[in-house]
Amino acid sequence: MVLSFLRKRQDVEQVAATVPKGIRVYAIGDIHGRADLLMRLLDMVTDDAKASPGPVNYLVYLGDYVDRGLHSRQVIDLMIGGPPATFGSVHLRGNHEAAFQEFLTSPTAGPGWFKFGGLATLHSYGIQIPSGLTPEERISHAQQELRRVIPPAHVSFLNHLRPSLTIGDYFFTHAGVRPGVPLNRQDGDDMMWIRDDFLNSTADHGKVVVHGHTITDLPEVRNNRIGIDTGAYASGHLTCLVLEGDRRRFLAT
């Protein structure tokens, strides 16, 4: 059902919002440690761009690269390796990257991060927590080991993630925006964590917000937003929104 829908959406949809002439945007939803799906989708994106040469191509990653899936380290390695030839890329910060960063500096972040996928990220870095430890010892051991093995390039990557990006009539961020607040005054935590106040809003945000963070079976297209987190870590469907001029379509694994 999902793949059937996405195949149908390969037909170009003409809309009011636009990106500047000569630019094609490929926005990729939440990856969550599925390096296999990311590699497959990047092959699809590259083939798509080759089939219609001309525009400058940009990859916009919407955040949540780590946790839940088993290959978070490998996902970051792929991103550090750079985009496909002839592409530019922008990496946004998701709430899972923020939690990952916090764990590196503060043990109080451990229990929460472990519960929503952090243990899978530790596994991807080869970290095993011995049995028989107290909860406090488990966190301390994991933190020390992660600090020891995480490559400096990964720390730098996490430190340089952006909260948002504007291209034409589209505003890209991880979770969404606070309705009623100008886009240039949005709170960083809202852009990583917000749900119902944003998802249920019919307000005009000034631009169409492209986001992930909240899982839906299919891409969710509204007048004021487009959600493309299709739960890749569990569903196998990693989704990409393609924007060019006044047209939009989808690619997906």
Side-chain angles (χ1 to χ4, degrees), residues 149-203:
V149 302
I150 188 170
H154 287 212
V155 176
S156 178
F157 172 80
L158 294 169
N159 287 339
H160 288 87
L161 297 174
R162 297 176 52 163
S164 64
L165 175 71
T166 298
I167 300 178
D169 295 327
Y170 293 90
F171 183 84
F172 302 84
T173 194
H174 176 63
V177 299
R178 178 70 57 184
V181 177
L183 293 179
N184 63 357
R185 295 176 58 191
Q186 288 290 325
D187 178 77
D189 282 345
D190 277 341
M191 289 189 286
M192 289 189 297
W193 290 96
I194 197 167
R195 286 198 197 274
D196 291 347
D197 288 350
F198 167 67
L199 298 174
N200 296 331
S201 175
T202 58

